[in-house]
Amino acid sequence: MSRTLPLAGCLATLLSMLATAHAQEAATAASSEVLLRPTTADYVQGYEATQPGSGNRILEFVPKGEDVQHWTELLTVQQFRDSAHVPPREFLDIIGKGWMQACPEASVTLILEDVENGYPIAVAQMICPNNAQTGKPEYTWLKGIQGQASLYVVQKAFRFVPDREQMTTWVRYLGQVKVCNEKDAQHPCP
């Protein structure tokens, strides 16, 4: 059975395959680095995969009653162990260029570039008024965090035009997504 991935997810998977292997130090940091994100009570995990060799990982969550083949909302959490060297803005720029190629009417906006808990982060909004694969609009917000061991990307996608309350809720959610390191005082965990 084939799945229709959100545009940014397809592009991120492609980037992951092209990335170089991570350094030995990153493997040590990985054992104590943690991605923190709020729970999503109304969502269920619909997909999980780990790429053999690299350890890159993807988790997808959908609202209860939906599945990853037929979703209206999708929350994707990705860990790219082979891309810890990639700054989050650079990653989001690559995804944005691919998004614009896949959807010529698309818009890509960098919302924020900063440092949180000692880690570089970037947040972008990507809008495709009509995804050719689904015939529906796709609104996506992505947050990339460059950890010592991995590049982490959390993405929220809608296959409809979200209202102001939905946008506010999910932008706040992304604001609470953080990376910490249990063994490094420069990146403390709560």
Side-chain angles (χ1 to χ4, degrees):
M1 177 182 299
S2 73
R3 292 179 352 136
T4 304
L5 294 174
L7 291 173
C10 293
L11 298 167
T13 301
L14 177 62
L15 178 66
S16 168
M17 289 187 244
L18 300 174
T20 59
H22 67 292
Q24 179 74 21
E25 322 167 342
T28 304
S31 64
S32 57
E33 204 166 74
V34 179
L35 176 68
L36 304 171
R37 60 183 185 82
T39 58
T40 49
D42 295 337
Y43 282 66
V44 294
Q45 184 176 317
Y47 182 75
E48 178 178 2
T50 301
Q51 190 176 31
S54 70
N56 292 342
R57 188 168 184 218
I58 183 171
L59 298 166
E60 293 179 327
F61 301 88
V62 293
K64 290 178 182 174
E66 295 187 16
D67 60 51
V68 292
Q69 287 81 28
H70 305 94
W71 55 269
T72 60
E73 297 184 41
L74 181 68
L75 177 64
T76 306
V77 178
Q78 295 174 287
Q79 179 181 9
F80 300 101
R81 291 182 185 229
D82 58 2
S83 299
H85 63 284
V86 179
R89 179 173 182 168
E90 182 180 322
F91 179 85
L92 295 181
D93 285 348
I94 292 167
I95 298 300
K97 287 176 186 169
W99 183 274
M100 298 291 286
Q101 289 175 348
C103 181
E105 307 86 35
S107 66
V108 176
T109 307
L110 180 68
I111 296 173
L112 176 67
E113 185 175 18
D114 204 351
V115 174
E116 291 180 347
N117 201 26
Y119 295 108
I121 65 111
V123 178
Q125 173 188 3
M126 300 181 188
I127 298 172
C128 177
N130 184 26
N131 181 335
Q133 289 182 325
T134 64
K136 297 177 182 177
E138 192 165 317
Y139 283 65
T140 300
W141 284 262
L142 298 101
K143 180 175 186 175
I145 305 170
Q146 184 182 12
Q148 295 170 303
S150 300
L151 175 68
Y152 303 90
V153 179
V154 177
Q155 154 187 332
K156 173 60 179 173
F158 296 91
R159 280 194 177 147
F160 58 87
V161 180
D163 63 32
R164 183 178 212 74
E165 182 180 338
Q166 290 166 315
M167 287 187 282
T168 301
T169 296
W170 286 100
V171 168
R172 283 185 183 145
Y173 176 91
L174 290 176
Q176 295 175 45
V177 171
K178 310 269 187 233
V179 172
C180 68
N181 190 316
E182 296 171 327
K183 296 181 180 176
D184 187 345
Q186 293 180 330
H187 311 286
C189 290

